[in-house]
Amino acid sequence: MTEIRKVGVVGAGLMGSGIAQVSAAAGYDTVVREVEQGFLDRGMARIEKNLDRAVAKEKLGPGERDAIAGRLHPTVDLADLAGCDLVIEAITENLEAKHELFGAVGGVCEDDAVFASNTSSLSITELAAGTDRPDRFVGLHFFNPVPVMPLVEVVRCGQTSKETFDVAFAFAKSVGKSPIACGDNTGFVVNRLLVPYMLDAIRAYESGIASIPDIDKGLRLGCGYPMGPFTLGDFVGLDTLYHITEIMYNEYKEARFASPPLLRRMFLAGYHGRKTGKGFYDYSGPEPVVSDFVK
Ligand code: 3HC
């Protein structure tokens, strides 16, 4: 079985930086690649902040933090992925961009390197088919915030070899996660169930049954969820949620996956949640309040 020693993470956004952090924390030399220095710096700063917070809470010693930081190798040069045994892609949810990336990475890495995508909704089968190694391709879907959420969905498509799946599953365990095995259906397990739930919450609000804070409160206090559906939507990003609905609706053609008009309008207006400061809630004050778009 392929031994993973060096890991490449492509994309240093919220997900990529989290994956790089847990990979380096688990002892892997981890190359973090971004297209632009500014994005790379932002991703590395996010990791540094998380590690410093862990040191401040005495969950990590300063020596351990420095060792983890020493295993992270930020770069804007794709060629630095040479020698990686596993490359995990966490770039934008765009099929062409991912195909282009894996085409280029295929020219840099050894033939036996395993390629993985952190996509939340694109087809692993289609991504694998566009690479030079469909049998060594697998989905590794982490959850936000990656350093905290214990789940990884390990997604096997028709072309994925048993060895590749086993390597990916073992890797997920080795970074402290609890993986589950999934087949390649858009949304895998979690988003297939979670996305219609979040869309239903928006429809419930649109039909006037309760306010946004009360629907959130209902699900938090009535079901023990850590966040209500609107808070979670803002946390995940309403742009991300909207794109996922587009992909899922396109695959299943079922009304429950279709974007409610309100979500589409908020996406078009740039109300993308926490990342833009406003979504269902406005985050500019000391406490979130219902945003002007939905007042
Ligand atoms: N990055 C790193 N660590 C974070 C963090 C972040 N963004 N946010 C919180 N943490 C850490 C804190 O440091 C703290 O660590 P500690 O236990 O070591 O002290 C711990 O998480 C708990 O944080 P807080 O006490 O500040 O806050 P909460 O108890 O409210 O927890 C939360 C925050 C973990 C985000 C919790 O609210 C939660 O679980 N929310 C639901 C998240 C969720 O459902 N994620 C899945 C989204 S769907 C997805 O990702 C799929 C995609 O494809 C769309």
Side-chain angles (χ1 to χ4, degrees), residues 3-52:
E3 197 195 334
I4 307 292
R5 286 172 303 253
K6 189 171 171 190
V7 175
V9 178
V10 186
L14 218 52
M15 300 304 287
S17 61
I19 297 168
Q21 180 185 324
V22 297
S23 167
Y28 296 105
D29 261 324
T30 305
V31 179
V32 191
R33 194 264 179 175
E34 252 300 352
V35 275
E36 272 183 34
Q37 191 63 43
F39 296 150
L40 187 63
D41 292 345
R42 223 177 303 158
M44 297 310 292
R46 196 177 299 120
I47 298 176
E48 201 180 313
K49 195 171 146 200
N50 281 343
L51 296 178
D52 286 347

Side-chain angles (χ1 to χ4, degrees), residues 6-204:
K6 189 171 171 190
V7 175
V9 178
V10 186
L14 218 52
M15 300 304 287
S17 61
I19 297 168
Q21 180 185 324
V22 297
S23 167
Y28 296 105
D29 261 324
T30 305
V31 179
V32 191
R33 194 264 179 175
E34 252 300 352
V35 275
E36 272 183 34
Q37 191 63 43
F39 296 150
L40 187 63
D41 292 345
R42 223 177 303 158
M44 297 310 292
R46 196 177 299 120
I47 298 176
E48 201 180 313
K49 195 171 146 200
N50 281 343
L51 296 178
D52 286 347
R53 195 167 51 190
V55 172
K57 287 181 181 169
E58 295 182 352
K59 296 201 165 177
L60 199 66
E64 285 171 287
R65 173 199 48 204
D66 297 345
I68 296 170
R71 285 192 286 272
L72 287 162
H73 310 290
T75 182
V76 288
D77 189 353
L78 205 70
D80 289 338
L81 293 167
C84 287
D85 308 296
L86 169 66
V87 175
I88 307 171
E89 165 276 314
I91 66 167
T92 177
E93 285 290 76
N94 178 295
L95 188 66
E96 279 87 66
K98 288 183 198 278
H99 273 320
E100 200 179 306
L101 174 77
F102 281 119
V105 180
V108 166
C109 289
E110 297 294 329
D111 290 345
D112 61 353
V114 169
F115 287 176
S117 175
N118 179 57
T119 183
S120 57
S121 49
L122 292 170
S123 159
I124 299 299
T125 308
E126 196 170 4
L127 287 171
T131 69
D132 60 356
R133 62 196 75 199
D135 59 319
R136 304 189 70 75
F137 197 96
V138 67
L140 271 176
H141 182 219
F142 290 78
F143 290 80
N144 181 25
V146 176
V148 182
M149 303 307 281
L151 184 70
V152 175
E153 292 176 317
V154 184
V155 187
R156 181 191 348 224
C157 62
Q159 306 100 306
T160 311
S161 72
K162 182 178 180 314
E163 193 203 338
T164 300
F165 179 82
D166 290 345
V167 165
F169 203 85
F171 171 78
K173 276 188 174 171
S174 75
V175 299
K177 302 299 180 192
S178 293
I180 58 171
C182 303
D184 181 32
N185 284 279
T186 293
F188 313 133
V189 172
V190 173
N191 280 341
R192 185 158 177 170
L193 301 178
L194 179 66
V195 169
Y197 151 74
M198 292 167 79
L199 301 182
D200 262 348
I202 300 172
R203 291 185 192 106

